[in-house]
Amino acid sequence: LEPFKDRNLRAFGFDMFSEPVRRAAMEQARDNGNSSVSGKVKLVQETVKDVQSGFLMYIPVYKPGRPVATEEERRYALLGFVYSPFRMKDLMSGILGHGIPDMDFELFDGPETTAEQLLYTSHDRTVSQTVPKYNVIRSINLPGRVWTVRFQSRPDFEQEMVSWQPLLLLISGCLISLLLFVLFRSLAGRQEHILLEAQRIGRELHQAEDRYQRMVENIKELIFETDVAGRWKFLNPAWEEIIGYTVEESLGRNFLNYVHPDEREHQKDLFKSLVDGDLEFYREEVRGIHRSGRDVWVELYATAQRDELGGLTGVFGTLRDVSIRRQAEIMARQAELSAHQAREAAELANQAKSEFLANMSHELRTPLNSMLILAKLLTGENNLTSEQVESAQVIHDSGLDLLRLINDILDLSKVEAGRMDVLGETMEFQTLQEGVLRQFRAVALSRNLELRLELEPGLPKGMITDWIKVEQILRNLLSNAFKFTHHGAVTVRIHRPDGADFAESTMNVDRFVAFTVSDTGIGIPEDKRELIFETFQQVDGATSRKYGGTGLGLSIVRRFAQLLGGEVRVASRLDEGSAFTLLLPLEFPFPDKVRSSLPESEDAVSPTARESFFAPGTTVLVVDDDERNRFAIGKILEKRVERILYAEDGGKALRLLDENPGVNLVLMDIMMPTMDGYQAMAAIRKQPRFAHLPIIALTAKAMPGDRQRCLETGANDYLPKPVQVERLFGTMNELLNTSSTPIPNAGTIAGADASADPVSTSSPSSQPLRAMTRNGRPLTVLLVDDDMRGIFSLAKVLQTRIGRVLIATDGVKALKQLKDHPDVDLVLMDIMMPNMDGYQAMRAIRLDMGRDDLPILALTAKVMPEDEALCLEAGATAYLTKPVDMERLWVEIEQLLGC
Ligand code: ADP
């Protein structure tokens, strides 16, 4: 019964066959196979209100495939009826709308027009009391039934429609019967259609059921239904797969039996919430128990099933096995855990590695120590040929290179092991810039490159950071820039970070300062821009052959930048240039510590340390038209004089001298375009202030007569090319030290340098061979070292200025030496030694021997940050790293002994 609600519900379950009027119509339909209309009935749907008379229409439905030719066959084949109840008043108002104007209209079941047979009336009888003038009666043939219709005129109608009334009545009568006829036809005519439709629906239903069945059976998810108490009412075959029990043995059992005991209470509560209506559904991951006893993780979705009145009829839902995912999660967690352990192990390994590197560096530094010192000594030896001296120089320089590499590796490993200290100091950008300028101007000149420095206006004056590291970073970037640039310029720019460049960065660029070193060099291919920051990586294999280098510089740069809270970026265009930008935070929580007075980087190999052969502030003007020559001479001089100026011809030389009256010496090439060396020297000597300016003439044309001509034109001395370094230095030394020429401004230049490099200010190197004395007597020094080569080389150097050098190869022997020679002025103490190491020996000297007065200078090749503190704690007066920088050593000895 559709719709299955409201008054229709009243008819549900009513046996129509038990009532004669309906039964007659049903039997008629059954027997003749057509639709039939019942006599007048009161429908069971009727309530007490607005009771209407009605009728029913039946269409017989026979079992498919059965013969229905005869009445007998039809009776036998009957399956049921399709039927429809009609409420007469509703039906007629549907057909006629507001009725027929000025006309009464009645319908009767059958041929009689009695009150009992009245099906419908368009008017209320009580109103129309008068006898109607027109009265028409007609019968309507319906399927298996006759109805009678009666029309009666009303007074209004009778007055107005005098002439054509009969016609009108006729028409309206016909019209109504026609309408009814059409209605019944259309209803009955659908019999066939309905049957087909029913068959189609039946087929579809069948298919759908089939599909549903298959789906439910094959689906991997469990579909279930329980009753109100939680007992399984339905389970699809997936159940067995998930939980191991068969559907048959599980049906009727409570679902809680299959839940892990730990979760039963919780699941019981949830189910109760569904029953009580507190929850409509829930979704949860539940731990179940498989028949085998193992845990099964399922994702459960349960929803309450309710009837029309909202009462719970059961719970319906689905369930999915998520054990695999769960297991994966557990494994992922374990993996994470083991990754963490792996990280820790890696960190330990890293520390071990850097420990190893530190030790290795010690092993490398010790032999290097002697090599460097001896090679250095040889370069000053007078009875060697210049070639031999040059070879010594090569050995020395190679040693320095090696040392630089060791230092780089050590720097890296220290950063990696987290043992690189950062110390914040305030410095102004201006100062930094000037420092950079001083170091690289000579390089720029020698390479014929422009060096530009730009300080963006509006920046803070300076900032707190670890400036030693910043300078090291910039030096690295600058030396790369110069190395890989053949023409154009290298620019250092200190500026606010360019927001666009760092768009992808997570850093707040406003709180950063950028230092950009850009060049117009060969550039870096896009695919190598990340790689070059890796250790030992260069753009390609040819790089080191062509340009040298090890591929460590940028690794250190990046690690240092990170250490200072910043980062390094590179932008580059092949053949156009590169720009490396160091971004540093304006405020970084640096430990509030004062840098130690002897930063470990200031050892013999620190690129800033100068082996000042000549007085501090010495400025040399190199005049040569050949770039390679300027470079070569620059290279030789670079570490030995304060400042080098370059001129490519005589004219430029004169201009430079004009601008820089502080020049102490001129190296003058002779063969040059425009104004040659002779002309230039003549022009210089013409100026009285340069009358005594030392000039050394250099020429590749070593012809007889050249020397004479040079000297005549104004040169103090003459050297043939290729210049022998030692000879050059010797000549320079002579000229500079004997020169009576007052050196204007030298004081200020030296003064400017004093803050940056304390070594050169106090260096006694201008008189390297003066013997050291204390209260007029020569010094005695005890040298303690287990490495014979180290002892030999150091002793050899010490003997040049110190009266007596005693030797001990371990702590025990050192103590004995001291007992035998209480007059020792100073002990140079190595740390890593067999039997008794340096720490133990120093403690013994201080505590056991009570020698508090004896200065002890600790020397160590291990340069971990704590080494210095350990030495001082053990009793050292001061501390130096190996290989020993002789300049420093002399300074240190002077300071310790006050001589
Ligand atoms: P090194 O210079 O000792 O080889 P670095 O780590 O400093 O080591 O540099 C790695 C490589 O990156 C260089 O060998 C070079 O190929 C490339 N590179 C670095 N700076 C520049 C630059 N300014 N222009 C072109 N290439 C550069």
Side-chain angles (χ1 to χ4, degrees):
L1 265 175
E2 286 294 334
F4 191 57
K5 61 179 190 183
D6 303 334
R7 52 175 83 233
N8 271 345
L9 291 178
R10 301 171 64 93
F12 197 62
F14 174 65
D15 179 2
M16 289 189 286
F17 219 56
S18 67
E19 193 275 322
V21 178
R22 291 174 174 86
R23 179 176 183 147
M26 291 159 87
E27 285 176 342
Q28 190 192 345
R30 175 196 67 195
D31 291 348
N32 60 27
N34 289 323
S35 54
S36 71
V37 171
S38 77
K40 174 185 168 186
V41 295
K42 186 180 156 222
L43 297 172
V44 279
Q45 275 95 333
E46 290 302 328
T47 55
V48 281
K49 229 171 78 193
D50 185 27
V51 180
Q52 302 178 16
S53 42
F55 66 95
L56 301 127
M57 190 164 161
Y58 293 95
I59 297 168
V61 180
Y62 301 102
K63 291 178 186 145
R66 292 281 169 83
V68 286
T70 65
E71 189 180 293
E72 196 61 25
E73 284 171 348
R74 283 196 285 273
R75 281 185 179 186
Y76 187 67
L78 185 75
L79 182 69
F81 297 90
V82 174
Y83 94 104
S84 182
F86 294 90
R87 297 178 85 217
M88 210 54 216
K89 213 162 130 191
D90 294 349
L91 176 70
M92 290 320 289
S93 66
I95 295 173
L96 301 173
H98 295 295
I100 307 166
D102 308 330
M103 186 86 84
D104 286 338
F105 157 62
E106 291 161 320
L107 263 177
F108 299 91
D109 178 26
E112 310 285 322
T113 56
T114 60
E116 292 84 71
Q117 297 305 108
L118 182 69
L119 275 171
Y120 170 78
T121 174
S122 66
H123 61 276
D124 194 339
R125 280 232 166 252
T126 51
V127 178
S128 161
Q129 291 299 340
T130 52
V131 179
K133 200 164 174 186
Y134 300 100
N135 196 344
V136 178
I137 295 179
R138 264 166 216 287
S139 35
I140 303 172
N141 285 317
L142 296 172
R145 192 142 212 105
V146 175
W147 279 357
T148 305
V149 61
R150 176 165 72 192
F151 298 97
Q152 289 179 323
S153 61
R154 290 211 206 125
D156 301 350
F157 178 86
E158 289 156 15
Q159 278 163 24
E160 278 181 28
M161 310 276 174
V162 183
S163 54
W164 42 282
Q165 286 148 350
L167 181 64
L168 187 83
L169 279 177
L170 187 71
I171 292 171
S172 41
C174 288
L175 193 67
I176 286 170
S177 28
L178 186 70
L179 282 173
L180 280 168
F181 175 75
V182 168
L183 171 76
F184 285 113
R185 262 318 306 164
S186 71
L187 284 173
R190 290 172 69 186
Q191 178 179 1
E192 199 122 321
H193 175 73
I194 286 166
L195 270 175
L196 286 173
E197 191 67 5
Q199 280 166 3
R200 191 184 61 78
I201 290 171
R203 268 198 312 276
E204 275 184 9
L205 195 66
H206 196 70
Q207 287 169 354
E209 252 176 25
D210 228 39
R211 262 204 310 275
Y212 169 75
Q213 187 76 16
R214 274 204 307 275
M215 206 162 78
V216 166
E217 277 173 12
N218 295 324
I219 201 160
K220 287 279 168 264
E221 294 207 0
L222 173 69
I223 297 170
F224 68 82
E225 200 184 339
T226 74
D227 63 12
V228 215
R231 290 183 293 248
W232 296 127
K233 252 164 70 182
F234 173 83
L235 291 164
N236 67 340
W239 172 250
E240 194 172 338
E241 230 167 278
I242 295 174
I243 213 89
Y245 296 95
T246 64
V247 172
E248 289 72 42
E249 62 190 335
S250 307
L251 284 180
R253 297 197 66 196
N254 195 293
F255 78 100
L256 286 171
N257 288 314
Y258 306 91
V259 175
H260 192 280
D262 291 357
E263 294 204 7
R264 263 179 212 156
E265 268 317 298
H266 174 63
Q267 288 304 321
K268 205 163 141 186
D269 288 349
L270 276 177
F271 193 82
K272 189 164 177 300
S273 307
L274 281 184
V275 175
D276 295 348
D278 297 339
L279 271 183
E280 253 334 286
F281 68 89
Y282 68 89
R283 191 187 291 277
E284 266 218 342
E285 226 157 82
V286 185
R287 191 167 157 203
I289 302 193
H290 191 266
R291 185 175 211 149
S292 65
R294 70 172 160 88
D295 286 357
V296 184
W297 284 96
V298 296
E299 190 184 80
L300 170 73
Y301 172 75
T303 175
Q305 276 199 304
R306 301 189 189 280
D307 63 16
E308 300 281 330
L309 301 170
L312 188 81
T313 58
V315 170
F316 171 82
T318 61
L319 206 148
R320 197 158 62 93
D321 191 343
V322 294
S323 302
I324 292 177
R325 194 196 70 207
R326 194 78 188 201
Q327 215 151 354
E329 277 169 9
I330 291 172
M331 268 155 65
R333 257 202 302 280
Q334 280 170 348
E336 201 176 305
L337 212 72
S338 41
H340 179 72
Q341 285 164 345
R343 259 200 307 281
E344 280 188 346
E347 263 160 37
L348 277 179
N350 225 355
Q351 287 212 357
K353 188 181 80 184
S354 49
E355 193 67 24
F356 165 75
L357 283 170
N359 285 331
M360 196 181 74
S361 102
H362 167 260
E363 298 306 323
L364 289 171
R365 273 163 183 260
T366 309
L368 258 182
N369 188 31
S370 40
M371 189 180 114
L372 280 176
I373 293 173
L374 291 178
K376 178 77 160 290
L377 213 62
L378 283 177
T379 59
E381 206 67 56
N382 290 332
N383 52 3
L384 291 182
T385 67
S386 53
E387 281 79 17
Q388 284 168 324
V389 168
E390 237 173 304
S391 303
Q393 189 65 42
V394 170
I395 295 171
H396 186 260
D397 289 350
S398 309
L400 276 184
D401 278 349
L402 194 54
L403 207 52
R404 215 166 281 140
L405 176 64
I406 294 169
N407 281 343
D408 279 354
I409 293 177
L410 205 67
D411 270 352
L412 272 178
S413 65
K414 271 197 270 185
V415 176
E416 253 159 40
R419 302 179 75 180
M420 180 62 93
D421 281 343
V422 284
L423 298 171
E425 284 172 310
T426 312
M427 186 152 115
E428 294 188 359
F429 296 130
Q430 189 71 38
T431 319
L432 172 79
Q433 256 196 338
E434 281 160 10
V436 168
L437 180 80
R438 195 168 42 231
Q439 283 169 27
F440 283 92
R441 195 191 271 152
V443 185
L445 271 171
S446 70
R447 307 266 345 250
N448 222 355
L449 296 169
E450 207 185 324
L451 172 57
R452 287 194 216 122
L453 288 129
E454 294 169 10
L455 191 59
E456 188 180 73
L459 277 181
K461 257 180 116 62
M463 64 188 276
I464 299 181
T465 187
D466 190 326
W467 286 105
I468 292 208
K469 297 207 169 54
V470 173
E471 281 180 8
Q472 199 172 333
I473 291 173
L474 292 179
R475 267 199 308 271
N476 255 320
L477 295 179
L478 273 163
S479 59
N480 276 347
F482 280 110
K483 192 156 80 172
F484 297 108
T485 303
H486 304 297
H487 38 74
V490 171
T491 310
V492 180
R493 197 159 74 90
I494 304 176
H495 58 106
R496 290 215 169 274
D498 197 343
D501 286 351
F502 292 89
E504 301 148 36
S505 176
T506 49
M507 305 193 305
N508 181 356
V509 291
D510 292 345
R511 302 223 197 95
F512 284 77
V513 171
F515 303 77
T516 298
V517 176
S518 49
D519 61 53
T520 52
I522 61 174
I524 303 158
E526 173 127 36
D527 59 331
K528 296 286 161 65
R529 280 178 209 156
E530 202 34 52
L531 184 87
I532 50 171
F533 287 100
E534 312 259 309
T535 44
F536 297 111
Q537 291 295 340
Q538 299 183 319
V539 164
D540 61 46
T543 307
S544 82
R545 254 176 284 132
K546 197 162 159 201
Y547 298 98
T550 55
L552 282 179
L554 288 176
S555 319
I556 293 175
V557 162
R558 172 164 278 184
R559 301 273 204 306
F560 275 15
Q562 286 163 351
L563 219 54
L564 304 182
E567 66 177 65
V568 180
R569 295 286 186 96
V570 60
S572 183
R573 214 174 267 225
L574 219 49
D575 299 326
E576 286 181 29
S578 314
F580 286 83
T581 298
L582 165 69
L583 269 190
L584 286 183
L586 275 169
E587 280 156 35
F588 186 71
F590 284 101
D592 193 15
K593 210 159 110 189
V594 180
R595 184 176 288 285
S596 91
S597 55
L598 286 177
E600 46 174 293
S601 65
E602 256 190 57
D603 59 14
V605 296
S606 160
T608 44
R610 249 167 246 115
E611 303 159 69
S612 317
F613 267 52
F614 306 103
T618 303
T619 304
V620 173
L621 171 62
V622 177
V623 192
D624 199 316
D625 61 332
D626 187 278
E627 196 212 332
R628 287 164 306 180
N629 283 339
R630 282 200 304 272
F631 177 63
I633 295 174
K635 258 280 168 282
I636 297 166
L637 292 178
E638 149 185 298
K639 286 180 182 162
R640 292 161 176 88
V641 303
E642 176 72 36
R643 216 165 142 221
I644 309 169
L645 302 175
Y646 298 89
E648 58 273 9
D649 62 48
K652 178 94 186 284
L654 285 171
R655 270 202 304 285
L656 277 176
L657 276 177
D658 234 38
E659 287 159 20
N660 302 276
V663 169
N664 305 103
L665 183 131
V666 180
L667 296 177
M668 180 72 74
D669 184 27
I670 296 302
M671 301 276 289
M672 291 182 298
T674 52
M675 183 190 262
D676 70 14
Y678 297 126
Q679 294 168 307
M681 287 192 288
I684 291 169
R685 293 296 183 218
K686 253 192 218 150
Q687 303 184 42
R689 56 180 173 151
F690 295 134
H692 298 287
L693 177 66
I695 302 177
I696 302 175
L698 309 171
T699 177
K701 248 180 86 186
M703 287 301 196
D706 275 353
R707 181 186 164 86
Q708 198 50 37
R709 191 169 167 205
C710 283
L711 296 178
E712 278 170 16
T713 329
N716 297 70
D717 211 334
Y718 164 92
L719 290 175
K721 281 183 179 178
V723 174
Q724 286 164 5
V725 179
E726 295 315 306
R727 241 180 107 179
L728 173 65
F729 288 153
T731 312
M732 279 176 71
N733 214 5
E734 261 174 50
L735 287 173
L736 283 170
N737 289 333
T738 59
S739 165
S740 57
T741 315
I743 304 173
N745 293 333
T748 41
I749 295 168
D753 192 47
S755 58
D757 192 351
V759 179
S760 47
T761 49
S762 55
S763 166
S765 57
S766 44
Q767 327 96 31
L769 295 175
R770 181 176 60 84
M772 280 182 146
T773 55
R774 198 182 193 188
N775 307 326
R777 65 173 176 82
L779 296 178
T780 303
V781 168
L782 171 60
L783 179 56
V784 192
D785 197 329
D786 63 322
D787 180 63
M788 275 318 288
R789 293 165 302 176
I791 288 182
F792 171 66
S793 52
L794 197 54
K796 203 156 186 264
V797 179
L798 288 171
Q799 275 158 359
T800 59
R801 297 185 65 192
I802 284 166
R804 190 157 58 136
V805 180
L806 301 173
I807 283 166
T809 49
D810 62 37
V812 181
K813 290 184 185 122
L815 296 179
K816 181 161 185 306
Q817 284 279 34
L818 277 181
K819 247 187 228 128
D820 299 348
H821 305 276
D823 60 333
V824 166
D825 295 288
L826 169 78
V827 180
L828 296 181
M829 180 72 78
D830 184 34
I831 298 299
M832 307 258 289
M833 291 179 301
N835 295 335
M836 181 188 271
D837 71 14
Y839 296 133
Q840 294 167 317
M842 287 192 285
R843 277 194 205 99
I845 294 170
R846 297 291 186 226
L847 301 174
D848 303 347
M849 300 182 73
R851 294 288 308 265
D852 286 339
D853 57 312
L854 181 65
I856 307 177
L857 191 54
L859 308 173
T860 175
K862 259 184 87 175
V863 284
M864 282 301 165
E866 65 269 21
D867 288 353
E868 183 184 353
L870 282 175
C871 287
L872 298 178
E873 209 179 291
T877 322
Y879 162 101
L880 277 184
T881 51
K882 282 170 145 188
V884 176
D885 171 7
M886 286 313 297
E887 302 294 336
R888 280 208 75 86
L889 181 61
W890 291 131
V891 173
E892 206 62 58
I893 294 175
E894 275 178 13
Q895 278 173 359
L896 287 175
L897 302 180
C899 53

